[in-house]
């Protein structure tokens, strides 16, 4: 509530009373955030305006970690709360407060400026118009939720780190209803970006119309052998489900066993996977992670070969690599955990999606997902419930209301022959997952 | 946390005066106070890791005028947070309230647990996990286990209404054995010791090796255990009867008063059932909790409503995920009256089909009525007897067909469901519960796989 110059963060760090000689260290974290949420539905309009400030403390002793978080009014209790269970926590190698980073710019945290309500209302109106135009009267907007937020964060440790940084987020969630003579169906689509101007409204409206009308207009397709073209709306959620395999802590052993310690390819040479907080079009635009480590571009799969891992400070020590800046905090009440920023299939060697469509001799173009994709990396299985078009000689021959595309995940990844240059992101985990169009020739179950 | 609601009342006179001063002619609204405390651990096969305490306090001021509503939220649950939220709400609504500062000494709520208590609870939790998994070889466990306390109160223009304090033990995560992974979700509002026993039992059951038999895809008759039936009622009947469907409503509101299920079926949304996780004294707008009949004698009956959809006739089902979000009509506990059949009689009536023990996730489209239930644990039924256990699969159908195909007899006991926990709608989760007898539905469609 006070403008951030009350020294609470410094006091929190000092009152952690860490005994460096006993292997103790501490990390204090402060977040200030403002957001507006605008909801339009059949009952009218709801506007929510939220301003918040919160603190968190992590205490480290000989690899053990304890975490406590509270709003400013209870901040004095945090060292007591964390100390209470520190002795019972199990040790994790490398867990300790991080040291200084280059170009630290410590400063008292100012509250971020409140998002603009008028532009939020204008943006929702634009989306409504775009949907009306795309849907040709057959699709109506049941509910639209636009959230625009900004936050500033600061991390200081007893090991000398003190860094402040800021970021923004904009999310649009739309529930639409499609009605034709064949019946009605409702569907939910969402988009997120680091700023409201970067939400691609026309694209989201098109996706919403496909999602609501394809199940009503097409015919079901029995799984059959054929080429497979995965739209970015379909491929990106699948890519997002691969991310945990690259988390330096938990996915390590599984990835090593899947690729026989890197001797086998993870995917086809057409696929490279990258995590990059500065990727154009990605929903995350931030300079530092939740531990104050600068984000970096991390190549995880290079032309089909597993090449890297995502790490926080502790995992980096264990992996004997510099940290990649992937310690993510969803809220000030959550301890940082390894997560993605913008995790995507690199489209730099991609071709225009129309060229990929022309290459489709006979097969299925999966335009939208009808339910959450089933991707089990451990069991090496995937299953997509999708709608789209049956394509022959590069032209859409028939709309497909629903079909299942399933099989071994490793086979799908290794069968991707070409990628498009139309990278699109969807919200995923702590950040975003992105993919361009993917072309898989002669898939046995499409 | 038991005395948190009393803390909320300490500035009662002042708070009520501020809220009543905020409201202008034609407006309605209230203030909402919430305190949430979460003590969590990451549980692995090696024991408990990463203890975390999180304390959240917040105040929201809400205004409604015609079709417009405004919510302003601030961190903190004391007088100053309320004043600040009211100032901002007034500014945005075009008013300018004069808030005379009156210092109210706010006594601290007693800490929920003293230090020895907390350590002891951690030890007890560790022991329960060890009991559940005495030999964790070959098993990889990644769970978050948390004790959660949530206290809420609503300040209206006349009084402070306590919504109640909810205590629950919850566990979510994944169990992996060889190349198979299964999700695990558990929640109970039982006291600590029985809650730990229930968690240990559920975990032990979930850790059993996954059966390799696969379900045969296609139409199938299904007997649902009481726990699984609770999920079906929640998805198939509960969600379509949440009053937010707009002018065309949902698949059930479009056939209001019609008989959609066999006579005798009574389904209620009942937040007054204190033994179930979705209970409260008053909803998040301060309306007293009330049981609402959703299906009476098999006919579509009531809707769950809030003040936005029903004005003063709200039946006390306005719920929000936390203080930052506006309340909307949501389910509480979906309770179904029992019939007279034993489980064996239902299996016999089924003949050849499936017996579903546990559903891990589900979703429904209220518009089309399509629903999908993701089955985690089930057995084959052959000639009226239980057969081989089955691997995960999904069941789909549409609400009206499923209710039409509901067997006239249901189980003779309505059991509380452990599997129902957090209902997520629009990204916002609220605690829900359910109690149902076992039921038999014919002609559902089985599909292999799990979301």
């Amino acid at each position: 509530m006070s403008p951030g110059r009350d020294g609470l963060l410094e006091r929190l760090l000092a009152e952690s009373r860490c005994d460096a000689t006993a292997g103790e260290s501490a990390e204090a974290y402060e977040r200030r955030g403002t957001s507006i949420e605008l909801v339009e539905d059949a009952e009218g309009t709801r506007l929510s305006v939220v301003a918040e400030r919160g603190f968190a403390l992590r205490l480290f002793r000989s690899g053990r970690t304890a975490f406590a978080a509270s709003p400013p009014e209870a901040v004095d209790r945090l060292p007591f709360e964390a100390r209470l269970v520190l002795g019972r926590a199990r040790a994790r190698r490398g867990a300790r407060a991080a040291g200084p980073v280059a170009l630290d710019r410590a400063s008292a945290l100012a509250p971020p400026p409140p998002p603009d309500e008028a532009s939020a209302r204008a943006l929702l109106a634009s989306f409504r118009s775009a949907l009306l135009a795309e849907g040709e009267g057959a699709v109506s907007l049941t509910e639209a939720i636009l959230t625009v937020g900004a936050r500033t964060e600061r991390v200081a440790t007893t090991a000398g780190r003190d860094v402040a940084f800021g970021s923004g987020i904009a999310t649009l969630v739309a529930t639409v209803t499609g009605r034709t003579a064949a019946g009605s169906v409702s569907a939910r689509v969402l988009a997120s970006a680091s700023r409201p101007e970067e939400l691609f409204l026309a694209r989201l409206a098109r996706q919403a119309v496909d999602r609501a009308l394809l199940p009503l207009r097409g015919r079901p397709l029995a799984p059959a052998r054929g080429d497979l073209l995965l739209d970015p709306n379909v491929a990106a959620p699948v890519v997002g489900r691969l991310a945990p395999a690259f988390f330096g802590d938990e996915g390590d052993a599984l990835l090593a066993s899947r690729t026989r310690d890197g001797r086998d390819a993870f995917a086809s040479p057409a696929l490279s996977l990258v995590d990059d907080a500065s990727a154009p079009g990605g929903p995350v635009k931030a300079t530092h992670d939740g531990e104050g480590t600068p984000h970096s571009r991390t190549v995880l799969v290079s032309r089909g070969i597993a090449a890297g891992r995502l790490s926080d400070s502790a995992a980096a020590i264990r992996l004997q690599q510099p940290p990649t800046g992937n310690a993510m905090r969803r809220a000030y009440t959550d301890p940082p955990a390894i997560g993605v920023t913008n995790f995507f299939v690199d489209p730099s060697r991609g071709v225009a999606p129309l060229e990929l469509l022309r290459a489709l001799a006979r097969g299925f173009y999966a335009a939208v997902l009808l339910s959450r994709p089933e991707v089990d990396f451990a069991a090496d299985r995937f299953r997509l419930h999708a709608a789209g078009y049956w394509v022959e000689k590069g032209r859409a021959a028939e709309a497909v209301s629903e079909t299942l595309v399933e099989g071994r995940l490793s086979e799908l990844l290794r069968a991707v022959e070409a990628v498009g240059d139309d990278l699109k992101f969807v919200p995923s985990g702590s950040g975003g997952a992105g993919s361009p169009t993917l072309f898989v020739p002669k898939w046995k179950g499409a | 946390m038991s005395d948190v609601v009393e803390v909320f009342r300490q500035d009662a006179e002042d708070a009520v005066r501020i809220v009543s001063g905020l409201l202008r002619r034609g407006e309605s609204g209230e203030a909402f106070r919430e305190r949430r405390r979460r003590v969590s651990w990451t549980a692995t096969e090696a024991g408990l890791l990463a203890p975390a305490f999180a304390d959240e306090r917040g105040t929201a001021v809400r205004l409604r005028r015609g079709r417009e509503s405004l919510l302003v939220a601030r961190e903190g649950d004391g007088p100053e947070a309320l004043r600040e939220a009211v100032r901002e709400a007034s500014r945005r609504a075009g008013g300018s309230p004069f808030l005379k500062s009156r210092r109210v000494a706010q006594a601290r709520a007693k800490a929920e647990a003293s230090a020895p208590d907390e350590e002891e609870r951690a030890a007890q939790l560790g022991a329960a996990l060890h009991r559940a998994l005495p030999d964790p070889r070959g098993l990889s466990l990644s769970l978050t286990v948390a004790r959660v306390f949530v206290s809420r109160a609503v300040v209206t223009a006349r009084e402070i209404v306590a919504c109640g304090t909810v205590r629950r033990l919850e566990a979510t995560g994944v169990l992996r054995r060889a190349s198979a992974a299964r999700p695990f979700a558990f929640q109970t509002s039982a006291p600590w010791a029985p809650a730990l026993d229930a968690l240990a039992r559920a975990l032990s059951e979930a850790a059993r090796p996954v059966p390799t038999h696969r379900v045969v895809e296609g139409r199938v008759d299904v007997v649902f255990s009481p726990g699984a039936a609770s999920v079906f009622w929640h998805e198939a009947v509960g969600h379509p009867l949440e009053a937010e469907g707009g002018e065309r409503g949902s698949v059930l509101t479009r056939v209001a008063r019609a008989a959609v299920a066999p006579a005798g079926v009574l389904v209620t949304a009942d937040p007054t059932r204190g033994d179930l996780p979705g209970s409260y004294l008053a909803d998040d707008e301060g309306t007293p909790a009330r049981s609402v009949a959703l299906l009476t004698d098999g006919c579509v009956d009531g809707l769950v409503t809030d003040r936005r959809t029903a004005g003063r006739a709200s039946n006390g089902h306005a719920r929000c995920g936390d203080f930052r979000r506006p309340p909307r009509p949501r389910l509480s506990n979906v309770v179904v009256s029992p019939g007279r059949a034993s489980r064996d009689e239902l299996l016999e009536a089924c003949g050849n089909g499936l017996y579903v023990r546990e559903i891990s996730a589900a979703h429904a489209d209220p518009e089309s009525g399509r629903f999908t239930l993701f089955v985690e644990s089930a057995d084959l039924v052959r000639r009226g007897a239980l057969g081989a256990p089955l691997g995960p699969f999904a069941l789909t159908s549409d609400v009206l067909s499923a209710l039409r195909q509901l067997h006239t007899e249901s189980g003779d006991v309505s059991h509380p469901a452990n599997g129902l926990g957090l209902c997520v709608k629009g990204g916002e989760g609220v605690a829900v519960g359910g109690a149902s007898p076992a039921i038999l539905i014919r002609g559902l469609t089985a599909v292999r796989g799990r979301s």
Side-chain angles (χ1 to χ4, degrees):
Chain A
M1 282 181 270
S2 48
R5 305 186 190 284
D6 49 14
L8 278 181
L9 188 87
E10 290 79 0
R11 202 167 86 204
L12 176 59
L13 204 56
E15 290 191 358
S16 64
R17 296 200 173 84
C18 286
D19 180 0
T21 59
E24 285 188 349
S25 56
E27 172 201 81
Y29 172 79
E30 178 183 2
R31 175 185 288 197
R32 302 189 73 130
T34 58
S35 67
I36 62 167
E37 181 186 272
L38 189 60
V39 182
E40 284 184 9
D41 61 14
E43 313 291 339
T45 306
R46 287 180 293 188
L47 174 70
S48 303
V49 184
V50 181
E52 271 196 286
R53 186 182 183 197
F55 290 85
L57 176 72
R58 281 200 298 171
L59 283 184
F60 303 90
R61 185 167 70 209
S62 309
R64 292 183 166 88
T65 313
F67 173 90
S70 82
E73 62 196 270
V75 77
D76 292 340
R77 279 186 65 81
L78 293 187
F80 168 76
E81 301 274 26
R83 238 170 235 293
L84 209 58
V85 284
L86 183 59
R88 284 210 168 262
R90 290 180 67 90
R92 178 184 173 221
R93 213 174 105 205
R96 58 175 177 253
V101 288
L103 300 173
D104 269 5
R105 280 177 294 131
S107 61
L109 218 53
D116 179 27
E117 180 189 327
S119 58
R121 286 184 188 273
L123 199 132
L124 269 193
S126 305
F127 177 69
R128 197 177 279 279
S129 310
L131 188 71
L132 199 67
E134 288 285 341
E136 295 168 353
V139 178
S140 59
L141 186 61
T142 311
E143 182 185 68
I145 306 173
L146 174 69
T147 310
V148 183
R151 69 183 190 224
T152 51
E153 297 163 270
R154 185 177 170 196
V155 179
T157 70
T158 52
R161 176 167 295 190
D162 195 350
V163 57
F165 45 95
S167 57
I169 184 82
T171 309
L172 177 56
V173 182
T175 305
V176 298
T177 304
R179 290 190 183 94
T180 68
S184 61
V185 71
S186 68
R188 183 173 289 237
V189 293
L190 71 162
S192 72
S194 59
R195 295 185 305 156
E197 310 84 274
E198 291 174 3
L199 288 169
F200 296 105
L201 299 181
R203 182 195 293 171
L204 187 68
R206 237 180 352 258
Q207 185 192 347
V209 168
D210 280 348
R211 177 65 187 79
L213 292 185
L214 276 173
L216 295 170
R217 288 186 170 163
R219 285 199 307 162
L221 172 72
R225 193 178 179 86
D227 297 340
L228 181 62
L229 196 63
L230 301 179
D231 186 270
N233 290 324
V234 176
V238 177
V239 169
R241 299 289 288 273
L242 300 175
F246 299 93
F247 293 176
D249 262 356
E250 52 188 271
D252 222 24
L254 196 54
L255 184 62
S257 72
R258 277 277 166 271
T259 60
R260 295 196 305 144
D261 283 324
R263 292 194 296 277
D264 290 350
F266 175 82
S268 86
L271 280 185
S272 292
L273 285 171
V274 177
D275 185 86
D276 184 357
S278 60
V284 174
K285 285 268 187 312
T287 53
H288 294 72
D289 72 359
E291 291 178 331
T293 305
H295 286 305
S296 56
R297 179 183 167 89
T298 310
V299 177
L300 300 162
V301 172
S302 175
R303 298 192 181 190
I305 304 297
R309 302 285 189 277
L310 301 174
S311 63
D312 59 2
S313 302
I317 290 170
R318 198 172 59 79
L319 296 167
Q320 298 177 319
Q321 291 171 351
T324 59
N326 285 87
M328 311 301 284
R329 292 186 199 247
R330 286 170 185 265
Y332 75 84
T333 48
D334 291 339
I338 300 177
V340 297
T341 59
N342 303 312
F343 175 72
F344 59 96
V345 173
D346 187 355
S348 56
R349 287 155 28 100
V351 299
L354 270 180
E355 276 185 47
L356 296 178
L357 184 66
R358 277 198 283 269
L360 209 71
R362 192 169 179 278
F364 176 57
Y365 165 48
V368 288
L369 283 171
L370 300 180
S371 61
R372 202 164 160 242
E374 199 177 304
V375 181
D376 189 336
F377 189 72
D380 194 21
R381 305 288 309 173
F382 81 98
R383 185 182 180 117
L384 309 177
H385 185 206
Y389 299 90
W390 182 253
V391 178
E392 292 190 353
K393 293 179 185 167
R395 299 180 74 91
E398 189 180 8
V400 174
S401 63
E402 61 175 322
T403 192
L404 289 173
V405 181
E406 60 182 332
R408 289 199 173 279
L409 181 63
S410 56
E411 286 177 11
L412 177 78
L413 293 171
R414 288 171 194 156
V416 174
E417 192 175 272
V419 304
D421 59 3
D422 51 342
L423 174 64
K424 291 174 193 163
F425 283 91
V426 296
S428 177
S430 52
S435 175
T437 302
L438 303 182
F439 176 58
V440 182
K442 297 183 180 61
W443 181 252
K444 57 194 173 186
Chain B
M1 299 285 280
S2 53
D3 52 353
V4 166
V5 173
E6 288 311 309
V7 173
F8 289 158
R9 288 184 195 280
Q10 282 178 356
D11 63 338
E13 196 186 323
D14 230 21
V16 168
R17 185 179 57 79
I18 290 171
V19 170
S20 64
L22 168 73
L23 301 176
R24 295 175 301 175
R25 185 184 293 275
E27 282 181 352
S28 62
E30 66 277 330
F32 177 72
R33 285 171 162 175
E34 180 185 49
R35 190 174 290 194
R36 181 185 294 261
R37 183 180 164 86
R38 191 168 189 271
V39 186
S40 67
W41 297 82
T42 302
T44 71
E45 61 283 5
L48 297 175
L49 296 169
F53 290 86
D55 184 357
E56 273 190 283
R57 301 169 188 200
T59 299
V61 167
R62 309 180 193 130
L63 288 177
R64 289 178 292 277
R65 173 186 273 270
R67 289 168 52 82
E68 298 269 329
S69 18
L70 170 69
L71 177 150
V72 173
R74 293 288 182 271
E75 86 272 351
D77 55 8
E80 197 46 49
L82 177 63
R83 283 166 196 280
E84 199 176 318
V86 164
R87 267 186 215 109
E88 178 65 14
S90 298
R91 192 183 68 76
R92 288 187 175 262
S96 54
F98 173 68
L99 300 180
K100 204 161 68 178
S101 183
R102 190 183 297 179
R103 198 78 185 164
V104 178
Q106 203 190 7
R108 276 171 180 272
K110 264 189 284 183
E112 167 58 25
S114 64
D117 275 355
E118 207 52 71
E119 285 204 38
E120 202 177 313
R121 283 181 198 277
Q124 289 165 345
L125 176 58
L129 292 176
H130 182 70
R131 258 198 330 274
L133 310 168
D135 180 10
R137 278 178 297 181
L139 188 72
S140 167
L141 183 69
S142 176
L143 288 184
T144 301
V145 186
R147 280 196 307 133
V148 183
F149 307 85
V150 184
S151 294
R152 290 174 167 182
V154 174
V155 185
T156 70
R158 282 194 290 275
E159 59 181 337
I160 291 192
V161 181
C163 303
T165 294
V166 175
R167 299 172 180 79
R168 64 176 186 268
L169 175 70
E170 59 186 34
T172 53
V174 179
L175 281 79
R176 287 194 183 86
R177 189 184 285 277
S179 64
R182 68 158 285 171
F184 178 77
F186 171 87
Q187 170 172 290
T188 178
S189 50
W192 179 244
L196 281 184
D197 287 343
L199 172 63
R201 276 198 305 276
L203 199 52
S204 171
E205 178 71 20
R208 284 167 42 192
V210 176
T212 51
H213 295 282
R214 302 174 80 183
V215 74
V216 177
E217 295 192 317
R219 286 170 74 82
V220 67
D221 297 345
V222 182
V223 177
F224 290 84
S225 70
S230 291
V231 181
F232 166 77
W233 291 115
H234 176 96
E235 295 294 337
V237 172
H239 281 306
L241 292 174
E242 290 171 321
E244 248 192 345
E247 58 190 20
R248 283 187 51 118
S250 70
V251 65
L252 288 183
T253 56
R254 289 197 290 268
V255 292
R257 306 288 165 200
V260 293
V265 172
L266 172 64
V267 183
T268 56
D270 189 356
T272 65
R273 277 282 298 262
D275 59 324
L276 299 175
S279 68
Y280 44 84
L281 301 172
D283 75 359
D284 295 335
E285 289 173 336
T287 307
R290 194 194 319 165
S291 173
V292 175
L294 303 174
L295 294 186
T296 303
D297 209 17
C299 299
V300 178
D301 196 343
L303 294 170
V304 295
T305 58
D306 64 355
R307 290 197 179 169
R308 190 161 173 258
T309 53
R312 288 184 181 176
S314 162
N315 57 28
H317 280 80
R319 306 188 68 191
C320 56
D322 61 47
F323 68 93
R324 303 169 188 89
R325 307 297 303 274
R328 53 198 300 186
R330 300 288 298 268
L331 294 169
S332 50
N333 303 309
V334 175
V335 179
V336 184
S337 58
R340 283 172 301 190
S342 66
R343 187 184 77 165
D344 287 348
E345 286 168 340
L346 287 176
L347 291 175
E348 201 177 311
C350 175
N352 292 328
L354 304 172
Y355 178 68
V356 171
R357 294 175 183 277
E358 185 191 341
I359 293 173
S360 58
H363 63 75
D365 172 13
E367 176 65 36
S368 64
R370 296 290 302 173
F371 66 87
T372 306
L373 309 171
F374 297 99
V375 178
E376 199 56 52
S377 169
D379 298 323
L380 271 176
V381 178
R382 282 288 170 263
R383 294 188 193 127
L386 290 182
L390 297 168
F393 62 95
L395 288 170
T396 70
S397 184
D398 73 88
V399 173
L400 293 176
S401 305
L403 291 174
R404 222 173 15 245
Q405 297 291 328
L406 183 67
H407 188 57
T408 46
E409 264 309 327
S410 56
D412 49 6
V413 186
S414 185
H415 281 296
N418 268 344
L420 263 178
L422 208 62
C423 168
V424 180
K425 186 175 172 185
E428 193 179 358
V430 298
V432 294
S436 168
I439 54 171
L440 164 61
I441 304 177
R442 300 193 186 275
L444 299 181
T445 303
V447 186
R448 279 200 289 267
R450 171 171 61 201
S451 179

